[in-house]
């Protein structure tokens, strides 16, 4: 059985994602107004963190043995279906930011998938993997780069430290660096609070 008999809990919902999209629309995000863009950029950070926290709750159930890999992957897949779906155009700048968030989340959720499947080297060195991912990107081998960063994320979810200095290894404009930002978000969420480990199992949302 994928999951033991537990009260239903809605880890994430389309209404939740749509609420973030509505906030972006209402903010009138534009990169031309630097002061306003910097302020509104937090919407994108928070919407990504919200998804990451939901994924960490799945990992908490998995780690406790409440759900197995199949159950965890099923829940993760339902979240992926919501947050990776193409978003109707809002504005050029907002669309670019949303796609950036989705790209980062795609790799972050691949990290959770690797973690649940235990499809990664638990003894691998993160700094070495980052360099390998960067080298793969230089060779335009994006599949290898993606899998490598996902493996880094799996290590982090499993408890490996992710130092801030890791983000300086590669150029900021690289795609791998963007994916690593998502992994950094996972690490930050894990360090910032452990409430996700003992979240309320009873779904009290409407």
């Amino acid at each position: 059985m994928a999951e033991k008999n537990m009260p239903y809990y809605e880890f994430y919902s389309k209404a939740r994602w749509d609420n973030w999209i509505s906030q972006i629309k209402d903010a009138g995000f534009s990169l031309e107004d630097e002061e306003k863009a910097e302020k509104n950029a937090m919407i994108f950070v928070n919407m990504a963190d919200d998804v990451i926290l939901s994924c960490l709750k799945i990992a908490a159930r998995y780690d406790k043995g409440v759900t197995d890999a199949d159950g965890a992957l099923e829940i993760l897949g339902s979240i992926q279906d919501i947050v990776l779906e193409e978003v109707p155009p809002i504005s050029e700048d907002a669309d670019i930011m949303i796609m950036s968030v989705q790209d980062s989340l795609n790799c972050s959720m691949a990290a959770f998938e690797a973690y649940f499947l235990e499809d990664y080297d638990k003894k691998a060195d993160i700094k070495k993997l980052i360099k390998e991912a960067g080298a793969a990107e230089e060779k335009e081998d994006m599949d290898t780069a993606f899998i490598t960063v996902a493996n880094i994320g799996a290590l982090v979810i499993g408890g490996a430290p992710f130092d801030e200095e890791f983000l300086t290894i590669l150029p900021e404009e690289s795609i791998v660096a963007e994916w690593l930002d998502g992994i950094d978000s996972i690490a930050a969420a894990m360090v910032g609070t452990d409430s996700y480990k003992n979240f309320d199992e009873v779904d009290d949302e409407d």
Side-chain angles (χ1 to χ4, degrees):
M1 189 173 182
E3 185 163 310
K4 295 180 181 179
N5 187 23
M6 293 291 295
Y8 172 74
Y9 185 86
E10 186 174 60
F11 288 84
Y12 203 77
S13 67
K14 190 173 188 307
R16 199 155 151 183
W17 177 255
D18 288 345
N19 180 58
W20 287 112
I21 299 301
S22 294
Q23 288 187 48
I24 294 170
K25 290 179 180 178
D26 294 342
F29 182 80
S30 173
L31 292 172
E32 292 183 3
D33 186 337
E34 292 186 10
E35 184 176 345
K36 186 177 180 181
E38 184 175 349
K39 180 180 178 181
N40 290 337
M42 286 307 301
I43 298 175
F44 299 97
V45 173
N46 292 335
M47 75 187 291
D49 287 348
D50 189 37
V51 176
I52 293 297
L53 187 58
S54 294
C55 293
L56 283 171
K57 288 181 178 181
I58 304 172
R61 273 199 174 180
Y62 174 77
D63 290 340
K64 292 177 182 178
V66 175
T67 188
D68 60 14
D70 289 338
L73 290 170
E74 182 178 352
I75 301 169
L76 181 67
S78 68
I79 297 177
Q80 288 173 310
D81 289 343
I82 294 169
V83 305
L84 299 183
E85 183 179 18
E86 184 175 353
V87 176
I90 298 174
S91 69
E92 184 176 356
D93 291 341
D95 295 346
I96 290 172
M97 292 296 290
I98 290 172
M99 286 189 287
S100 177
V101 168
Q102 289 179 311
D103 196 32
S104 179
L105 284 174
N106 187 30
C107 193
S108 296
M109 288 190 283
F112 280 96
E113 182 176 347
Y115 178 72
F116 297 141
L117 292 173
E118 298 189 21
D119 186 22
Y120 64 102
D121 182 358
K122 297 180 181 180
K123 296 182 179 180
D125 181 78
I126 289 181
K127 192 171 184 178
K128 181 179 179 181
L129 289 178
I130 291 174
K131 292 179 179 179
E132 289 178 1
E137 181 178 1
E138 287 182 1
K139 296 176 182 177
E140 299 185 354
D141 184 358
M142 300 313 296
D143 287 343
T144 296
F146 184 89
I147 293 170
T148 303
V149 176
N151 289 343
I152 292 170
L155 285 165
V156 171
I157 297 165
F162 189 85
D163 297 331
E164 286 292 322
E165 68 178 50
F166 291 158
L167 297 176
T168 65
I169 295 175
L170 301 176
E172 290 184 8
E173 64 272 12
S174 75
I175 296 175
V176 168
E178 185 172 287
W179 291 338
L180 286 172
D181 280 339
I183 306 306
D184 183 50
S185 294
I186 295 175
M190 293 175 69
V191 172
T193 178
D194 61 359
S195 61
Y196 66 88
K197 295 180 181 179
N198 300 296
F199 66 95
D200 187 357
E201 299 288 356
V202 179
D203 180 22
D204 57 2
E205 295 184 11
D206 294 334

